[in-house]
Amino acid sequence: MMQMEYKAEKPSPTQLAITIHASYAELEPLLPKAAAKISEETEIEGFRKGHVPYDVVKLKVGEFKILEEAARMYIAEHFEKLLTEINEQEYKGKSFEPVGEPQIAITKLAPGEELEFKITLSLLPAIELPDYKAIATRVLATKKVEEVTGLEVQSSLDRLRESRAKLITVNRGAQLGDRVEIDFSASHGGVKIEGGESKNHPFTLGTGRFMPGFENQLVGMKAGEEKSFSLAVPQEYREKSIAGKALDFRAAMKLVQRRDVPEWNDDFAKSIGNFSSAADVEKNVRDGLGMEKEEKEGERLKSAMLEAIADGAKIEIPEPLIANELEKMTAELQHSIAGMGLAWEQYLAHIKKTEEALRQGAEWREQAERRVKFALILREIAKKEGIHPSEEETQAAANRTIAHQGMDKTDLKTIDREAFISYHAGIARNEKVLQFLEAIVSEP
């Protein structure tokens, strides 16, 4: 290490380029090891892998190949020591935090000559924060939780009654509000449209799940009856492939069921849980809606605080962090699509984009930059305020992910546990920072 010389330059605030020179004398002892490694990966007639003499390997692959492998071994052996030395010499008392994978290029390599290579690192940027306490105070002063209205309570109670409705098969024409099952097919110009056919399709008549006019055509039909009709699809219809077209339908009513919704009274209240009266349920519903509004306002305030702090912060984001965030966003979307029972390729075909085009879109990139900026700001506030999550808080964050994603013991065995815990330590830390900001208004 003593004979290795380097020169460090900063092409930008978030990049460090290091040019390193090392004497051939330092590289030479690694040549036999490099040849042995190459022999383990190369078929050489008459020799077992890993047991090939140096001269034979040299004759088979050439001297430069051995030199190249020795150079890679040298770089790997000295990389961490080099970063430590640069940190101590160039960044004493300053932040030095490389992010992403380093870019390494060998720029000079020849027998008997010194080795020259270049390492380019991306660094976490210096962050200039605004007065985040003053911003938090200003944002939190806008807190306003809306009151729960009687109409909202009644709507929730009606949904509760609807969820307990009994289905009774009837021999009459279908009415709005009935549960029905139908066979149907749709065609345009005598050709069936893609996805325009279904058998025993169940739905509640009048909920607006189909295009305008379709459900009205089914009103009055009895089980066993069939009907043909045509509809003009609106120009602004969500399915662009059929928007503005005239479609011909064939529908067969298979089943009509009346929904018998229970009356709202004390007996019904007792049947749905540990309640003594309808008033108890109403209070429970009102309290629950109040908590939802409180939580919703809390999320708005957190988001508004972060947005305002981010707007006032000065920070240059390294490209590797944006690329990493785009990877996370892609993985999150893939997980969401899979949860809906769709294949990733089908989704991409539906939106008519490749995965790469999705990532490189201006909207996605802007979102990734914003997410990285938020994360760096929360991290910086944590450093300034000495905020650290406990092991219990980190484990609680990890447990929420495990429960949310339905991970079992087999899943947990396949993950990188250290990276998993580190990630959730970051989540727990961010939660504590936001709690710290929210508590500012109560400080004396």
Side-chain angles (χ1 to χ4, degrees), residues 330-347 404-406:
T330 303
E332 289 168 5
L333 181 58
Q334 287 175 333
H335 182 75
S336 175
I337 294 301
M340 292 188 290
L342 295 175
W344 179 237
E345 293 74 17
Q346 287 178 318
Y347 172 75
H404 178 70
Q405 297 187 2

Side-chain angles (χ1 to χ4, degrees), residues 84-101:
T84 300
E85 185 170 334
I86 289 174
N87 187 15
E88 293 173 353
Q89 297 297 324
E90 308 288 336
Y91 286 83
K92 195 170 184 178
K94 300 178 183 177
S95 174
F96 177 71
E97 298 182 70
V99 294
E101 291 296 321

Side-chain angles (χ1 to χ4, degrees), residues 195-267:
E197 184 174 23
S198 184
K199 299 287 186 182
N200 297 316
H201 193 91
F203 66 101
T204 299
L205 198 57
T207 52
R209 290 180 55 186
F210 292 84
M211 69 180 61
F214 182 88
E215 294 177 46
N216 289 338
Q217 291 287 340
L218 306 179
V219 173
M221 290 181 66
K222 293 183 178 180
E225 292 183 347
E226 296 186 4
K227 186 177 184 180
S228 296
F229 54 91
S230 299
L231 291 174
V233 184
Q235 290 285 354
E236 66 277 8
Y237 192 62
R238 60 179 180 272
E239 290 293 337
K240 300 304 179 186
S241 61
I242 59 173
K245 295 181 179 179
L247 300 185
D248 298 317
F249 289 92
R250 181 77 180 171
M253 185 65 68
K254 310 296 289 186
L255 178 70
V256 179
Q257 292 182 313
R258 173 171 58 84
R259 296 174 57 79
D260 189 7
V261 181
E263 291 185 23
W264 179 249
N265 52 35
D266 289 347
D267 289 338

Side-chain angles (χ1 to χ4, degrees), residues 1-12:
M1 189 72 176
M2 294 298 294
Q3 298 180 47
M4 185 170 63
E5 299 177 355
Y6 70 84
K7 179 182 178 182
E9 299 175 304
K10 292 196 71 176
S12 77

Side-chain angles (χ1 to χ4, degrees), residues 35-213:
K37 186 174 185 300
I38 291 171
S39 74
E40 291 174 356
E41 302 166 352
T42 309
E43 292 283 352
I44 300 179
E45 190 176 351
F47 296 93
R48 288 184 296 126
K49 285 187 175 182
H51 296 78
V52 186
Y54 179 88
D55 289 339
V56 176
V57 176
K58 181 178 176 181
L59 184 64
K60 176 71 175 178
V61 302
E63 185 176 13
F64 185 80
K65 178 83 172 178
I66 299 174
L67 273 173
E68 197 173 39
E69 184 60 44
R72 281 196 287 265
M73 295 173 77
Y74 179 87
I75 294 169
E77 181 180 331
H78 293 89
F79 182 73
E80 293 299 331
K81 295 177 184 177
L82 175 66
L83 291 188
T84 300
E85 185 170 334
I86 289 174
N87 187 15
E88 293 173 353
Q89 297 297 324
E90 308 288 336
Y91 286 83
K92 195 170 184 178
K94 300 178 183 177
S95 174
F96 177 71
E97 298 182 70
V99 294
E101 291 296 321
Q103 297 177 2
I104 302 175
I106 298 172
T107 51
K108 183 179 177 183
L109 183 65
E113 301 290 336
E114 71 172 7
L115 167 68
E116 180 185 280
F117 59 99
K118 187 173 183 179
I119 300 175
T120 303
L121 299 170
S122 291
L123 304 176
L124 273 180
I127 301 173
E128 187 178 329
L129 292 176
D131 187 343
Y132 49 85
K133 291 184 178 181
I135 290 174
T137 301
R138 186 174 70 248
V139 171
L140 290 169
T142 68
K143 181 177 180 179
K144 184 178 180 180
V145 181
E146 295 180 0
E147 291 186 9
V148 178
T149 67
L151 185 61
E152 289 172 324
V153 174
Q154 188 59 53
S155 180
S156 294
L157 295 176
D158 287 344
R159 285 195 298 272
L160 181 60
R161 291 171 58 222
E162 287 286 343
S163 70
R164 298 300 180 97
K166 294 180 180 179
L167 297 174
I168 301 172
T169 301
V170 294
N171 184 25
R172 59 160 171 76
Q175 299 174 3
L176 295 179
D178 287 344
R179 179 190 179 276
V180 299
E181 292 183 13
I182 62 169
D183 292 348
F184 71 89
S185 63
S187 61
H188 174 65
V191 179
K192 286 185 180 179
I193 63 171
E194 185 177 353
E197 184 174 23
S198 184
K199 299 287 186 182
N200 297 316
H201 193 91
F203 66 101
T204 299
L205 198 57
T207 52
R209 290 180 55 186
F210 292 84
M211 69 180 61

